[in-house]
Amino acid sequence: MTEQIRSRVERLRSDFDHSFAVPARTLDHETVELLAVAVGGRSYALRLSQTSGLYPDRPVTPLPTPVPALRGLAGFAGVVVPVYDLATLLGHPVVEECRWLVLAAGTPPLALAFHQLDHHVRVPAADVVDGSGASAAPGCLRGMVRLPDGDRPIVDVPATRALAHRTAGHEHSEVSP
């Protein structure tokens, strides 16, 4: 082993050991993490806590289906997951190319396709107007968030999953993570 490799191994070992000495990072309840996305030419936000993964350029195998929102199937860690077009579910025109897939947290597995990821953002909880109360409007949007680039409606992922399953003729009880 050369001296350069030995030095690198020692540095990696030291960094690894140091990572256990640092207190675990905790997220407080004073902030909300969001994905700012563009869907159907409009800006939206997704709560990161309602997702379990974000994937660019994941292949989707189309299916012959009468459900316009169902783009097809994609594989995630050995599990085949139906992929629905978020723009279609939100009532926007279908975009041909969706670069991004977000896996919905919970079961049954489902992925939502959209074409543009603007950024990830952590905002104070006070900047989010929650729309999940008993008087929440039906549909997939629950609340608004104020971001530096403008206000965005928040897409509720569990409500979107329920809508996707209803459009496919299935009813599933939602299991949140």
Side-chain angles (χ1 to χ4, degrees):
M1 183 181 312
T2 67
E3 187 58 35
Q4 184 180 12
I5 293 173
R6 183 171 294 136
S7 172
R8 185 171 182 194
V9 168
E10 285 301 318
R11 186 171 39 87
L12 289 172
R13 184 176 291 141
S14 174
D15 289 347
F16 180 78
D17 291 342
H18 178 70
S19 69
F20 291 101
V22 176
R25 192 176 102 181
T26 57
L27 296 176
D28 56 46
H29 297 289
E30 302 297 322
T31 61
V32 176
E33 291 193 76
L34 301 164
L35 294 175
V37 302
V39 177
R42 296 198 180 158
S43 298
Y44 293 95
L46 301 168
R47 290 180 187 269
L48 204 55
S49 63
Q50 295 178 340
T51 68
S52 61
L54 178 67
Y55 302 88
D57 305 320
R58 175 80 45 144
V60 176
T61 303
L63 293 173
T65 176
V67 181
L70 181 58
R71 292 187 74 89
L73 300 171
F76 297 91
V79 177
V80 177
V81 175
V83 177
Y84 286 86
D85 187 288
L86 185 56
T88 304
L89 292 172
L90 294 175
H92 299 299
V94 175
V95 176
E96 288 300 318
E97 291 296 322
C98 286
R99 179 165 186 234
W100 296 93
L101 297 181
V102 65
L103 265 178
T107 57
L110 179 130
L112 298 169
F114 59 95
H115 77 280
Q116 182 179 326
L117 173 65
D118 293 336
H119 49 87
H120 165 257
V121 64
R122 182 177 300 148
V123 298
D127 288 353
V128 175
V129 177
D130 192 12
S132 61
S135 62
C140 299
L141 304 179
R142 300 281 191 278
M144 295 281 291
V145 61
R146 175 155 297 179
L147 298 179
D149 58 353
D151 295 346
R152 292 176 184 244
I154 298 173
V155 177
D156 185 70
V157 174
T160 306
R161 176 202 322 271
L163 174 63
H165 286 283
R166 279 194 309 273
T167 62
H170 304 285
E171 289 294 330
H172 292 279
S173 59
E174 174 63 29
V175 178
S176 298

